[in-house]
Amino acid sequence: EVQLVESGGGLVQAGGSLTLSCAASGFTFDDYGIGWFRLAPGKEREGVSCISKSGGSTYYADSVKGRFTISSDNAKNTVYLQLNNLKPEDTAVYYCVADAPPYYCSGMRGEYWGQGTQVTVSS
């Protein structure tokens, strides 16, 4: 059974930083695309970032490029999303998602979802 468990959200002032973690289990970590969606009230779902271990690549939405960094620790089957220089418009529930191959990091399907973690950025 695929499981994705997020942690690390919280309340932060604009300009601050947070690190989100996604602990994955139930599948071969290197084979899947793992990334982050965010959902905010009144806004469309946004694919924020993705990491492809098999392809050795990462993807970032234009809205977060240069501020967010995705990484992974294979020994811990965990993906991290470092959020820097946060803005109020980054406020959302962040979901860790995974897609079985074949997948495209720039257009993840969101085949599997974690429970989500709230990120709130105050101005």
Side-chain angles (χ1 to χ4, degrees):
E1 178 188 5
V2 173
Q3 286 195 323
L4 304 167
V5 180
E6 303 100 329
S7 60
L11 172 64
V12 64
Q13 288 188 331
S17 297
L18 286 172
T19 302
L20 307 184
S21 300
C22 172
S25 62
F27 60 94
T28 304
F29 191 70
D30 283 0
D31 289 347
Y32 279 50
I34 303 176
W36 296 86
F37 286 169
R38 65 184 181 186
L39 295 176
K43 295 184 180 180
E44 291 186 357
R45 183 185 79 184
E46 184 178 21
V48 174
S49 184
C50 169
I51 187 165
S52 166
K53 295 297 291 181
S54 61
S57 64
T58 57
Y59 163 81
Y60 298 96
D62 287 343
S63 58
V64 306
K65 206 170 289 183
R67 299 187 298 121
F68 292 6
T69 302
I70 193 168
S71 62
S72 66
D73 184 335
N74 281 18
K76 297 181 178 180
N77 279 11
T78 299
V79 170
Y80 303 95
L81 188 67
Q82 178 68 38
L83 290 64
N84 294 330
N85 190 22
L86 282 160
K87 303 176 181 180
E89 52 263 43
D90 294 318
T91 296
V93 179
Y94 285 70
Y95 294 89
C96 180
V97 296
D99 283 348
Y103 62 86
Y104 298 95
C105 255
S106 59
M108 291 193 74
R109 301 186 302 274
E111 189 171 350
Y112 301 98
W113 291 61
Q115 83 282 0
T117 185
Q118 176 72 48
V119 171
T120 303
V121 185
S122 63
S123 57

PDB file of all heavy atoms in Angstrom, residues 28-61:
ATOM      1  N   THR A  28       8.607   1.310  -4.791  1.00  0.00           N
ATOM      2  CA  THR A  28      10.038   1.487  -5.039  1.00  0.00           C
ATOM      3  C   THR A  28      10.325   2.961  -5.246  1.00  0.00           C
ATOM      4  O   THR A  28       9.943   3.550  -6.252  1.00  0.00           O
ATOM      5  CB  THR A  28      10.486   0.678  -6.268  1.00  0.00           C
ATOM      6  OG1 THR A  28      10.144  -0.700  -6.071  1.00  0.00           O
ATOM      7  CG2 THR A  28      11.987   0.807  -6.471  1.00  0.00           C
ATOM      8  N   PHE A  29      10.982   3.535  -4.267  1.00  0.00           N
ATOM      9  CA  PHE A  29      11.152   4.983  -4.186  1.00  0.00           C
ATOM     10  C   PHE A  29      11.741   5.576  -5.461  1.00  0.00           C
ATOM     11  O   PHE A  29      11.280   6.601  -5.951  1.00  0.00           O
ATOM     12  CB  PHE A  29      12.039   5.293  -2.981  1.00  0.00           C
ATOM     13  CG  PHE A  29      12.114   6.738  -2.594  1.00  0.00           C
ATOM     14  CD1 PHE A  29      11.025   7.391  -2.045  1.00  0.00           C
ATOM     15  CD2 PHE A  29      13.289   7.432  -2.756  1.00  0.00           C
ATOM     16  CE1 PHE A  29      11.104   8.724  -1.671  1.00  0.00           C
ATOM     17  CE2 PHE A  29      13.378   8.770  -2.389  1.00  0.00           C
ATOM     18  CZ  PHE A  29      12.288   9.409  -1.849  1.00  0.00           C
ATOM     19  N   ASP A  30      12.745   4.928  -6.003  1.00  0.00           N
ATOM     20  CA  ASP A  30      13.448   5.488  -7.162  1.00  0.00           C
ATOM     21  C   ASP A  30      12.627   5.451  -8.439  1.00  0.00           C
ATOM     22  O   ASP A  30      12.911   6.189  -9.382  1.00  0.00           O
ATOM     23  CB  ASP A  30      14.757   4.742  -7.404  1.00  0.00           C
ATOM     24  CG  ASP A  30      15.835   5.142  -6.430  1.00  0.00           C
ATOM     25  OD1 ASP A  30      15.554   5.996  -5.563  1.00  0.00           O
ATOM     26  OD2 ASP A  30      16.958   4.617  -6.514  1.00  0.00           O
ATOM     27  N   ASP A  31      11.617   4.609  -8.488  1.00  0.00           N
ATOM     28  CA  ASP A  31      10.872   4.428  -9.734  1.00  0.00           C
ATOM     29  C   ASP A  31       9.765   5.461  -9.932  1.00  0.00           C
ATOM     30  O   ASP A  31       9.322   5.690 -11.053  1.00  0.00           O
ATOM     31  CB  ASP A  31      10.229   3.032  -9.772  1.00  0.00           C
ATOM     32  CG  ASP A  31      11.265   1.940  -9.969  1.00  0.00           C
ATOM     33  OD1 ASP A  31      12.415   2.270 -10.322  1.00  0.00           O
ATOM     34  OD2 ASP A  31      10.912   0.759  -9.769  1.00  0.00           O
ATOM     35  N   TYR A  32       9.292   6.049  -8.853  1.00  0.00           N
ATOM     36  CA  TYR A  32       8.129   6.928  -8.923  1.00  0.00           C
ATOM     37  C   TYR A  32       8.554   8.397  -9.012  1.00  0.00           C
ATOM     38  O   TYR A  32       9.630   8.786  -8.545  1.00  0.00           O
ATOM     39  CB  TYR A  32       7.261   6.761  -7.672  1.00  0.00           C
ATOM     40  CG  TYR A  32       6.335   5.572  -7.698  1.00  0.00           C
ATOM     41  CD1 TYR A  32       6.804   4.307  -8.023  1.00  0.00           C
ATOM     42  CD2 TYR A  32       4.999   5.717  -7.364  1.00  0.00           C
ATOM     43  CE1 TYR A  32       5.951   3.215  -8.035  1.00  0.00           C
ATOM     44  CE2 TYR A  32       4.132   4.628  -7.369  1.00  0.00           C
ATOM     45  CZ  TYR A  32       4.616   3.380  -7.702  1.00  0.00           C
ATOM     46  OH  TYR A  32       3.774   2.298  -7.714  1.00  0.00           O
ATOM     47  N   GLY A  33       7.694   9.198  -9.617  1.00  0.00           N
ATOM     48  CA  GLY A  33       7.826  10.637  -9.519  1.00  0.00           C
ATOM     49  C   GLY A  33       7.132  11.100  -8.242  1.00  0.00           C
ATOM     50  O   GLY A  33       5.994  10.710  -7.979  1.00  0.00           O
ATOM     51  N   ILE A  34       7.821  11.890  -7.465  1.00  0.00           N
ATOM     52  CA  ILE A  34       7.259  12.379  -6.206  1.00  0.00           C
ATOM     53  C   ILE A  34       7.323  13.890  -6.216  1.00  0.00           C
ATOM     54  O   ILE A  34       8.353  14.472  -6.592  1.00  0.00           O
ATOM     55  CB  ILE A  34       8.029  11.815  -5.001  1.00  0.00           C
ATOM     56  CG1 ILE A  34       8.014  10.283  -5.043  1.00  0.00           C
ATOM     57  CG2 ILE A  34       7.420  12.309  -3.691  1.00  0.00           C
ATOM     58  CD1 ILE A  34       8.829   9.628  -3.944  1.00  0.00           C
ATOM     59  N   GLY A  35       6.243  14.502  -5.832  1.00  0.00           N
ATOM     60  CA  GLY A  35       6.216  15.959  -5.880  1.00  0.00           C
ATOM     61  C   GLY A  35       5.236  16.545  -4.891  1.00  0.00           C
ATOM     62  O   GLY A  35       4.774  15.858  -3.970  1.00  0.00           O
ATOM     63  N   TRP A  36       4.934  17.801  -5.108  1.00  0.00           N
ATOM     64  CA  TRP A  36       4.054  18.544  -4.213  1.00  0.00           C
ATOM     65  C   TRP A  36       3.018  19.312  -5.025  1.00  0.00           C
ATOM     66  O   TRP A  36       3.354  20.025  -5.971  1.00  0.00           O
ATOM     67  CB  TRP A  36       4.866  19.521  -3.369  1.00  0.00           C
ATOM     68  CG  TRP A  36       5.835  18.838  -2.464  1.00  0.00           C
ATOM     69  CD1 TRP A  36       7.107  18.430  -2.772  1.00  0.00           C
ATOM     70  CD2 TRP A  36       5.623  18.477  -1.100  1.00  0.00           C
ATOM     71  NE1 TRP A  36       7.687  17.828  -1.686  1.00  0.00           N
ATOM     72  CE2 TRP A  36       6.796  17.845  -0.646  1.00  0.00           C
ATOM     73  CE3 TRP A  36       4.560  18.620  -0.210  1.00  0.00           C
ATOM     74  CZ2 TRP A  36       6.930  17.375   0.655  1.00  0.00           C
ATOM     75  CZ3 TRP A  36       4.702  18.142   1.087  1.00  0.00           C
ATOM     76  CH2 TRP A  36       5.871  17.524   1.511  1.00  0.00           C
ATOM     77  N   PHE A  37       1.754  19.158  -4.625  1.00  0.00           N
ATOM     78  CA  PHE A  37       0.670  20.004  -5.081  1.00  0.00           C
ATOM     79  C   PHE A  37       0.332  20.951  -3.933  1.00  0.00           C
ATOM     80  O   PHE A  37       0.561  20.636  -2.766  1.00  0.00           O
ATOM     81  CB  PHE A  37      -0.588  19.184  -5.407  1.00  0.00           C
ATOM     82  CG  PHE A  37      -0.525  18.397  -6.674  1.00  0.00           C
ATOM     83  CD1 PHE A  37      -1.507  17.442  -6.939  1.00  0.00           C
ATOM     84  CD2 PHE A  37       0.468  18.586  -7.614  1.00  0.00           C
ATOM     85  CE1 PHE A  37      -1.484  16.703  -8.119  1.00  0.00           C
ATOM     86  CE2 PHE A  37       0.516  17.850  -8.784  1.00  0.00           C
ATOM     87  CZ  PHE A  37      -0.474  16.896  -9.038  1.00  0.00           C
ATOM     88  N   ARG A  38      -0.271  22.079  -4.270  1.00  0.00           N
ATOM     89  CA  ARG A  38      -0.858  22.910  -3.234  1.00  0.00           C
ATOM     90  C   ARG A  38      -2.253  23.348  -3.646  1.00  0.00           C
ATOM     91  O   ARG A  38      -2.523  23.571  -4.829  1.00  0.00           O
ATOM     92  CB  ARG A  38       0.025  24.116  -2.904  1.00  0.00           C
ATOM     93  CG  ARG A  38       0.215  25.141  -4.003  1.00  0.00           C
ATOM     94  CD  ARG A  38       1.204  26.206  -3.521  1.00  0.00           C
ATOM     95  NE  ARG A  38       1.411  27.238  -4.525  1.00  0.00           N
ATOM     96  CZ  ARG A  38       2.301  28.222  -4.411  1.00  0.00           C
ATOM     97  NH1 ARG A  38       3.062  28.295  -3.301  1.00  0.00           N
ATOM     98  NH2 ARG A  38       2.425  29.126  -5.355  1.00  0.00           N
ATOM     99  N   LEU A  39      -3.108  23.427  -2.642  1.00  0.00           N
ATOM    100  CA  LEU A  39      -4.497  23.837  -2.825  1.00  0.00           C
ATOM    101  C   LEU A  39      -4.783  24.999  -1.893  1.00  0.00           C
ATOM    102  O   LEU A  39      -4.553  24.900  -0.690  1.00  0.00           O
ATOM    103  CB  LEU A  39      -5.442  22.675  -2.515  1.00  0.00           C
ATOM    104  CG  LEU A  39      -5.371  21.450  -3.434  1.00  0.00           C
ATOM    105  CD1 LEU A  39      -6.306  20.360  -2.911  1.00  0.00           C
ATOM    106  CD2 LEU A  39      -5.746  21.823  -4.847  1.00  0.00           C
ATOM    107  N   ALA A  40      -5.280  26.071  -2.480  1.00  0.00           N
ATOM    108  CA  ALA A  40      -5.665  27.237  -1.694  1.00  0.00           C
ATOM    109  C   ALA A  40      -7.101  27.589  -2.031  1.00  0.00           C
ATOM    110  O   ALA A  40      -7.541  27.389  -3.170  1.00  0.00           O
ATOM    111  CB  ALA A  40      -4.747  28.417  -1.998  1.00  0.00           C
ATOM    112  N   PRO A  41      -7.867  28.119  -1.078  1.00  0.00           N
ATOM    113  CA  PRO A  41      -9.266  28.481  -1.330  1.00  0.00           C
ATOM    114  C   PRO A  41      -9.383  29.437  -2.502  1.00  0.00           C
ATOM    115  O   PRO A  41      -8.664  30.433  -2.593  1.00  0.00           O
ATOM    116  CB  PRO A  41      -9.701  29.142  -0.017  1.00  0.00           C
ATOM    117  CG  PRO A  41      -8.800  28.569   1.008  1.00  0.00           C
ATOM    118  CD  PRO A  41      -7.485  28.370   0.322  1.00  0.00           C
ATOM    119  N   GLY A  42     -10.260  29.088  -3.425  1.00  0.00           N
ATOM    120  CA  GLY A  42     -10.521  29.976  -4.543  1.00  0.00           C
ATOM    121  C   GLY A  42      -9.498  29.909  -5.654  1.00  0.00           C
ATOM    122  O   GLY A  42      -9.586  30.657  -6.629  1.00  0.00           O
ATOM    123  N   LYS A  43      -8.518  29.026  -5.517  1.00  0.00           N
ATOM    124  CA  LYS A  43      -7.484  28.902  -6.538  1.00  0.00           C
ATOM    125  C   LYS A  43      -7.463  27.484  -7.089  1.00  0.00           C
ATOM    126  O   LYS A  43      -7.882  26.532  -6.428  1.00  0.00           O
ATOM    127  CB  LYS A  43      -6.112  29.242  -5.949  1.00  0.00           C
ATOM    128  CG  LYS A  43      -5.956  30.674  -5.509  1.00  0.00           C
ATOM    129  CD  LYS A  43      -4.530  30.930  -5.029  1.00  0.00           C
ATOM    130  CE  LYS A  43      -4.328  32.364  -4.586  1.00  0.00           C
ATOM    131  NZ  LYS A  43      -2.944  32.611  -4.116  1.00  0.00           N
ATOM    132  N   GLU A  44      -6.949  27.350  -8.294  1.00  0.00           N
ATOM    133  CA  GLU A  44      -6.809  26.031  -8.893  1.00  0.00           C
ATOM    134  C   GLU A  44      -5.640  25.283  -8.246  1.00  0.00           C
ATOM    135  O   GLU A  44      -4.704  25.888  -7.735  1.00  0.00           O
ATOM    136  CB  GLU A  44      -6.572  26.154 -10.399  1.00  0.00           C
ATOM    137  CG  GLU A  44      -7.769  26.665 -11.169  1.00  0.00           C
ATOM    138  CD  GLU A  44      -7.538  26.625 -12.669  1.00  0.00           C
ATOM    139  OE1 GLU A  44      -6.428  26.247 -13.099  1.00  0.00           O
ATOM    140  OE2 GLU A  44      -8.476  26.961 -13.409  1.00  0.00           O
ATOM    141  N   ARG A  45      -5.721  23.974  -8.318  1.00  0.00           N
ATOM    142  CA  ARG A  45      -4.610  23.148  -7.851  1.00  0.00           C
ATOM    143  C   ARG A  45      -3.345  23.500  -8.629  1.00  0.00           C
ATOM    144  O   ARG A  45      -3.385  23.692  -9.841  1.00  0.00           O
ATOM    145  CB  ARG A  45      -4.946  21.676  -8.061  1.00  0.00           C
ATOM    146  CG  ARG A  45      -3.890  20.718  -7.549  1.00  0.00           C
ATOM    147  CD  ARG A  45      -4.246  19.301  -7.899  1.00  0.00           C
ATOM    148  NE  ARG A  45      -3.932  18.985  -9.283  1.00  0.00           N
ATOM    149  CZ  ARG A  45      -4.221  17.810  -9.844  1.00  0.00           C
ATOM    150  NH1 ARG A  45      -4.861  16.895  -9.142  1.00  0.00           N
ATOM    151  NH2 ARG A  45      -3.870  17.573 -11.089  1.00  0.00           N
ATOM    152  N   GLU A  46      -2.246  23.575  -7.923  1.00  0.00           N
ATOM    153  CA  GLU A  46      -0.990  23.918  -8.565  1.00  0.00           C
ATOM    154  C   GLU A  46       0.058  22.855  -8.285  1.00  0.00           C
ATOM    155  O   GLU A  46       0.272  22.485  -7.129  1.00  0.00           O
ATOM    156  CB  GLU A  46      -0.486  25.277  -8.072  1.00  0.00           C
ATOM    157  CG  GLU A  46       0.789  25.739  -8.772  1.00  0.00           C
ATOM    158  CD  GLU A  46       1.249  27.111  -8.313  1.00  0.00           C
ATOM    159  OE1 GLU A  46       0.855  27.558  -7.221  1.00  0.00           O
ATOM    160  OE2 GLU A  46       2.022  27.748  -9.066  1.00  0.00           O
ATOM    161  N   GLY A  47       0.677  22.368  -9.329  1.00  0.00           N
ATOM    162  CA  GLY A  47       1.823  21.472  -9.182  1.00  0.00           C
ATOM    163  C   GLY A  47       3.044  22.310  -8.870  1.00  0.00           C
ATOM    164  O   GLY A  47       3.529  23.024  -9.734  1.00  0.00           O
ATOM    165  N   VAL A  48       3.534  22.235  -7.658  1.00  0.00           N
ATOM    166  CA  VAL A  48       4.593  23.117  -7.202  1.00  0.00           C
ATOM    167  C   VAL A  48       5.965  22.612  -7.610  1.00  0.00           C
ATOM    168  O   VAL A  48       6.795  23.364  -8.112  1.00  0.00           O
ATOM    169  CB  VAL A  48       4.517  23.264  -5.667  1.00  0.00           C
ATOM    170  CG1 VAL A  48       5.698  24.052  -5.135  1.00  0.00           C
ATOM    171  CG2 VAL A  48       3.210  23.929  -5.270  1.00  0.00           C
ATOM    172  N   SER A  49       6.212  21.342  -7.386  1.00  0.00           N
ATOM    173  CA  SER A  49       7.544  20.808  -7.629  1.00  0.00           C
ATOM    174  C   SER A  49       7.477  19.294  -7.743  1.00  0.00           C
ATOM    175  O   SER A  49       6.529  18.662  -7.266  1.00  0.00           O
ATOM    176  CB  SER A  49       8.491  21.211  -6.487  1.00  0.00           C
ATOM    177  OG  SER A  49       9.813  20.780  -6.744  1.00  0.00           O
ATOM    178  N   CYS A  50       8.502  18.733  -8.357  1.00  0.00           N
ATOM    179  CA  CYS A  50       8.569  17.281  -8.538  1.00  0.00           C
ATOM    180  C   CYS A  50      10.027  16.873  -8.645  1.00  0.00           C
ATOM    181  O   CYS A  50      10.870  17.649  -9.121  1.00  0.00           O
ATOM    182  CB  CYS A  50       7.810  16.873  -9.788  1.00  0.00           C
ATOM    183  SG  CYS A  50       8.053  15.159 -10.310  1.00  0.00           S
ATOM    184  N   ILE A  51      10.319  15.662  -8.198  1.00  0.00           N
ATOM    185  CA  ILE A  51      11.658  15.119  -8.362  1.00  0.00           C
ATOM    186  C   ILE A  51      11.555  13.745  -8.998  1.00  0.00           C
ATOM    187  O   ILE A  51      10.713  12.926  -8.610  1.00  0.00           O
ATOM    188  CB  ILE A  51      12.418  15.070  -7.012  1.00  0.00           C
ATOM    189  CG1 ILE A  51      13.881  14.672  -7.233  1.00  0.00           C
ATOM    190  CG2 ILE A  51      11.727  14.150  -6.013  1.00  0.00           C
ATOM    191  CD1 ILE A  51      14.763  14.955  -6.022  1.00  0.00           C
ATOM    192  N   SER A  52      12.401  13.532  -9.970  1.00  0.00           N
ATOM    193  CA  SER A  52      12.458  12.262 -10.685  1.00  0.00           C
ATOM    194  C   SER A  52      13.828  11.646 -10.432  1.00  0.00           C
ATOM    195  O   SER A  52      14.825  12.115 -10.975  1.00  0.00           O
ATOM    196  CB  SER A  52      12.256  12.480 -12.184  1.00  0.00           C
ATOM    197  OG  SER A  52      12.620  11.322 -12.907  1.00  0.00           O
ATOM    198  N   LYS A  53      13.845  10.637  -9.583  1.00  0.00           N
ATOM    199  CA  LYS A  53      15.129  10.008  -9.301  1.00  0.00           C
ATOM    200  C   LYS A  53      15.637   9.238 -10.514  1.00  0.00           C
ATOM    201  O   LYS A  53      16.820   9.269 -10.829  1.00  0.00           O
ATOM    202  CB  LYS A  53      14.994   9.060  -8.094  1.00  0.00           C
ATOM    203  CG  LYS A  53      14.664   9.771  -6.812  1.00  0.00           C
ATOM    204  CD  LYS A  53      15.762  10.736  -6.407  1.00  0.00           C
ATOM    205  CE  LYS A  53      17.011  10.003  -5.976  1.00  0.00           C
ATOM    206  NZ  LYS A  53      18.083  10.929  -5.553  1.00  0.00           N
ATOM    207  N   SER A  54      14.720   8.578 -11.209  1.00  0.00           N
ATOM    208  CA  SER A  54      15.128   7.776 -12.361  1.00  0.00           C
ATOM    209  C   SER A  54      15.651   8.662 -13.479  1.00  0.00           C
ATOM    210  O   SER A  54      16.578   8.290 -14.188  1.00  0.00           O
ATOM    211  CB  SER A  54      13.963   6.916 -12.837  1.00  0.00           C
ATOM    212  OG  SER A  54      12.872   7.723 -13.235  1.00  0.00           O
ATOM    213  N   GLY A  55      15.021   9.838 -13.635  1.00  0.00           N
ATOM    214  CA  GLY A  55      15.435  10.763 -14.676  1.00  0.00           C
ATOM    215  C   GLY A  55      16.472  11.758 -14.237  1.00  0.00           C
ATOM    216  O   GLY A  55      17.020  12.495 -15.049  1.00  0.00           O
ATOM    217  N   GLY A  56      16.721  11.804 -12.950  1.00  0.00           N
ATOM    218  CA  GLY A  56      17.704  12.746 -12.432  1.00  0.00           C
ATOM    219  C   GLY A  56      17.322  14.188 -12.667  1.00  0.00           C
ATOM    220  O   GLY A  56      18.165  15.030 -12.985  1.00  0.00           O
ATOM    221  N   SER A  57      16.046  14.487 -12.530  1.00  0.00           N
ATOM    222  CA  SER A  57      15.605  15.852 -12.822  1.00  0.00           C
ATOM    223  C   SER A  57      14.638  16.356 -11.771  1.00  0.00           C
ATOM    224  O   SER A  57      14.076  15.577 -10.987  1.00  0.00           O
ATOM    225  CB  SER A  57      14.944  15.905 -14.197  1.00  0.00           C
ATOM    226  OG  SER A  57      13.770  15.114 -14.217  1.00  0.00           O
ATOM    227  N   THR A  58      14.470  17.659 -11.767  1.00  0.00           N
ATOM    228  CA  THR A  58      13.502  18.308 -10.903  1.00  0.00           C
ATOM    229  C   THR A  58      12.670  19.282 -11.718  1.00  0.00           C
ATOM    230  O   THR A  58      13.070  19.714 -12.803  1.00  0.00           O
ATOM    231  CB  THR A  58      14.182  19.065  -9.746  1.00  0.00           C
ATOM    232  OG1 THR A  58      15.090  20.023 -10.303  1.00  0.00           O
ATOM    233  CG2 THR A  58      14.935  18.115  -8.835  1.00  0.00           C
ATOM    234  N   TYR A  59      11.503  19.599 -11.160  1.00  0.00           N
ATOM    235  CA  TYR A  59      10.595  20.545 -11.810  1.00  0.00           C
ATOM    236  C   TYR A  59      10.103  21.522 -10.767  1.00  0.00           C
ATOM    237  O   TYR A  59       9.827  21.124  -9.615  1.00  0.00           O
ATOM    238  CB  TYR A  59       9.413  19.813 -12.440  1.00  0.00           C
ATOM    239  CG  TYR A  59       8.253  20.732 -12.750  1.00  0.00           C
ATOM    240  CD1 TYR A  59       8.249  21.507 -13.906  1.00  0.00           C
ATOM    241  CD2 TYR A  59       7.192  20.872 -11.858  1.00  0.00           C
ATOM    242  CE1 TYR A  59       7.209  22.376 -14.171  1.00  0.00           C
ATOM    243  CE2 TYR A  59       6.146  21.741 -12.116  1.00  0.00           C
ATOM    244  CZ  TYR A  59       6.164  22.483 -13.278  1.00  0.00           C
ATOM    245  OH  TYR A  59       5.129  23.340 -13.533  1.00  0.00           O
ATOM    246  N   TYR A  60       9.970  22.791 -11.172  1.00  0.00           N
ATOM    247  CA  TYR A  60       9.401  23.811 -10.309  1.00  0.00           C
ATOM    248  C   TYR A  60       8.414  24.651 -11.103  1.00  0.00           C
ATOM    249  O   TYR A  60       8.684  25.018 -12.251  1.00  0.00           O
ATOM    250  CB  TYR A  60      10.483  24.740  -9.750  1.00  0.00           C
ATOM    251  CG  TYR A  60      11.499  24.039  -8.887  1.00  0.00           C
ATOM    252  CD1 TYR A  60      12.710  23.614  -9.409  1.00  0.00           C
ATOM    253  CD2 TYR A  60      11.243  23.788  -7.543  1.00  0.00           C
ATOM    254  CE1 TYR A  60      13.645  22.959  -8.620  1.00  0.00           C
ATOM    255  CE2 TYR A  60      12.170  23.134  -6.745  1.00  0.00           C
ATOM    256  CZ  TYR A  60      13.372  22.719  -7.304  1.00  0.00           C
ATOM    257  OH  TYR A  60      14.288  22.069  -6.526  1.00  0.00           O
ATOM    258  N   ALA A  61       7.300  24.972 -10.475  1.00  0.00           N
ATOM    259  CA  ALA A  61       6.387  25.937 -11.069  1.00  0.00           C
ATOM    260  C   ALA A  61       7.066  27.298 -11.109  1.00  0.00           C
ATOM    261  O   ALA A  61       7.899  27.626 -10.247  1.00  0.00           O
ATOM    262  CB  ALA A  61       5.104  26.001 -10.250  1.00  0.00           C
TER     263      ALA A  61
END
